[in-house]
Amino acid sequence: MTSLIAGRPIRQIAYFVPDVEQAALAHVATFGSGPYYIAEHIPLSLCRYRGAPAELDHSSAYGQWGDIMVEFVQQNNPGASCFHDIYPEGSGRQGMHHVALIVDDLKAEMARFEAAGHEAALYAEVAPGVGFAMMDCVATLGHFVELYEPTPQLLGVYDLVRSSAQDFDGTDPIRHFTIG
C-alpha cells in the first residue's frame, strides 16, 4: 500500500455522517475548524458502484482544519454505496470514511490501485470527464482512498476553503454553495 500513496500528500480527510451541517458545527465548536461550505444534493453526470450503474444522492460540507481539508458527507438516498459498505444503511454508525489524493492521471492511478487489489468501489463524474474514484482500501487501511485530478474546479474549491479559513473567527460557520 505504501508505494501507492508514497510521495502524495493527503489533501483531505472525510467522515460519513447523518447530517453534514450538524457535524460541521460540532467540528467548529470542538476544534475551531472552518468555515464549512455545504453543497447539497451534488449532481453526478455518471455514477458506477463496483462497476454497475448506480444512483448516489449525497451532500458534503468542506472546511479547513490546519493544513488539511475536512469533508463531512451524508448519503441522501437509500441503497448500496461505498459509504454504506463501511456504515450500513440504518445502522446509525458514522465515522472516518476516506482520505483524498490529487493525482495527475486518474485512470492510470485507478489501474495501479486495482492491480494492487484495491477495487474502485465508486467511480463518478460531476461533469462529463471530471471524475473521481473511491478505491477500496478498507481491508488494509480501514478506509477508502479517493482519487481525483487537479481540475480548475477542484482546485478552486480547495482555494476557497483554505483562504476562508485564514481569518475565520467563528462567525458565519456554515456557508452554502453549489457544485456542478
Side-chain angles (χ1 to χ4, degrees):
M1 176 55 62
T2 307
S3 64
L4 289 172
I5 59 176
R8 293 184 176 92
I10 293 172
R11 301 297 298 266
Q12 176 195 84
I13 185 168
Y15 299 88
F16 179 75
V17 297
D19 184 303
V20 295
E21 186 168 338
Q22 287 181 356
L25 289 170
H27 210 270
V28 169
T30 304
F31 299 106
S33 60
Y36 282 84
Y37 288 85
I38 296 177
E40 297 186 45
H41 306 283
I42 298 168
L44 299 174
S45 63
L46 174 73
C47 182
R48 298 186 70 75
Y49 170 69
R50 300 203 181 269
E55 295 292 324
L56 177 62
D57 177 0
H58 72 293
S59 299
S60 290
Y62 307 94
Q64 196 71 24
W65 186 24
D67 290 333
I68 196 157
M69 177 187 277
V70 173
E71 176 186 12
F72 295 106
V73 61
Q74 72 185 49
Q75 183 170 332
N76 301 315
N77 66 310
S81 72
C82 65
F83 303 110
H84 289 161
D85 285 351
I86 298 179
Y87 303 105
E89 187 174 352
S91 71
R93 294 181 50 227
Q94 62 183 359
M96 197 267 193
H97 183 266
H98 66 268
V99 297
L101 306 175
I102 296 175
V103 299
D104 292 329
D105 183 332
L106 178 59
K107 297 292 185 179
E109 289 302 316
M110 288 175 65
R112 282 179 9 95
F113 272 78
E114 289 172 340
H118 305 289
E119 176 185 13
L122 172 71
Y123 175 79
E125 295 181 356
V126 293
V130 181
F132 63 96
M134 292 283 183
M135 307 310 293
D136 189 345
C137 300
V138 175
T140 55
L141 297 177
H143 59 77
F144 287 86
V145 173
E146 182 178 28
L147 305 173
Y148 39 60
E149 293 174 334
T151 64
Q153 301 91 332
L154 175 73
L155 296 179
V157 170
Y158 271 87
D159 290 344
L160 170 68
V161 170
R162 181 178 288 279
S163 65
S164 296
Q166 290 175 354
D167 297 319
F168 181 59
D169 63 2
T171 305
D172 194 19
I174 300 297
R175 304 164 188 194
H176 292 269
F177 77 135
T178 58
I179 294 177

